[in-house]
Amino acid sequence: MSYIVERFQEKARFINESEAGMIREKLEILVRNIITQVEKHDSRFQSTLVKSGSVYEGTKVREPNEFDFMIQMDSLSNTPLLRPCDKGDGYVKLSLENREWEDFRDADGFFSPNLLSRFFKQLVNKSLNDIKIPEGLAVRRTRQIGRASCRERV
């Protein structure tokens, strides 16, 4: 088993380990730039970048060719109230007493993550036109909604 792990680690390494770090650093800057621009479009969306996934956890088996991020929406972090839900045990609905989030309530008056997600994606897409892209990084929009792929320019 140890041999297999060592073999994977050997194959997964970049020729130059600093290359992976440089790409990760540029992508983090890019995502922070997007978050900053989103905040400019709508101040309710002040957020914190949370690094997640196998690259940051040190469990990536092959080359670090994808980097996962989560966005913590700061103004929503400590405000939701949990309400019982008719779906059964383990399900709850979120209720926000703060009026600034009224736009994201469903027909029953509960917080709708789907409405928020749709609106956030629109802000991100709008922000992509205005962001500063780190030097050496190219952003290519794909047809899949909500995703962009980045490539290192050589």
Side-chain angles (χ1 to χ4, degrees):
M1 181 73 161
S2 175
Y3 170 75
I4 294 171
V5 171
E6 288 175 19
R7 187 81 172 127
F8 268 121
Q9 287 177 342
E10 180 183 315
K11 291 273 188 194
R13 284 195 176 95
F14 275 83
I15 295 171
N16 179 354
E17 285 291 328
S18 66
E19 179 183 14
M22 180 183 62
I23 293 170
R24 183 179 62 241
E25 187 176 303
K26 287 181 181 187
L27 286 173
E28 290 169 8
I29 291 168
L30 176 66
V31 174
R32 280 192 194 96
N33 290 349
I34 293 170
I35 291 171
T36 300
Q37 197 62 38
V38 165
E39 291 172 11
K40 287 179 182 177
H41 288 293
D42 192 325
S43 61
R44 295 177 295 181
F45 288 84
Q46 290 185 337
S47 305
T48 301
L49 178 67
V50 179
K51 302 168 191 172
S52 63
S54 58
V55 169
Y56 293 103
E57 294 165 1
T59 58
K60 183 77 174 153
V61 176
R62 296 196 175 177
E63 68 277 343
N65 59 358
E66 63 183 33
F67 301 88
D68 300 318
F69 304 102
M70 293 187 289
I71 306 298
Q72 174 185 307
M73 298 181 70
D74 299 334
S75 60
L76 289 176
S77 296
N78 296 315
T79 58
L81 301 172
L82 304 178
R83 304 285 188 213
C85 176
D86 58 3
K87 285 189 174 183
D89 292 340
Y91 289 92
V92 294
K93 289 191 174 189
L94 299 177
S95 178
L96 297 174
E97 302 302 320
N98 192 330
R99 296 184 64 82
E100 73 177 327
W101 296 101
E102 281 182 345
D103 301 347
F104 306 106
R105 290 185 181 162
D106 64 14
D108 297 324
F110 291 104
F111 175 71
S112 171
N114 292 332
L115 291 174
L116 180 82
S117 177
R118 256 182 279 166
F119 187 77
F120 183 74
K121 285 178 186 177
Q122 290 172 352
L123 287 175
V124 168
N125 284 327
K126 187 176 179 182
S127 298
L128 289 175
N129 297 323
D130 304 323
I131 60 167
K132 181 178 183 207
I133 298 172
E135 187 177 330
L137 195 65
V139 176
R140 179 185 58 149
R141 289 191 188 222
T142 62
R143 290 182 191 198
Q144 189 174 4
I145 297 173
R147 292 192 69 155
S149 63
C150 300
R151 300 203 184 271
E152 180 72 18
R153 288 189 192 157
V154 183

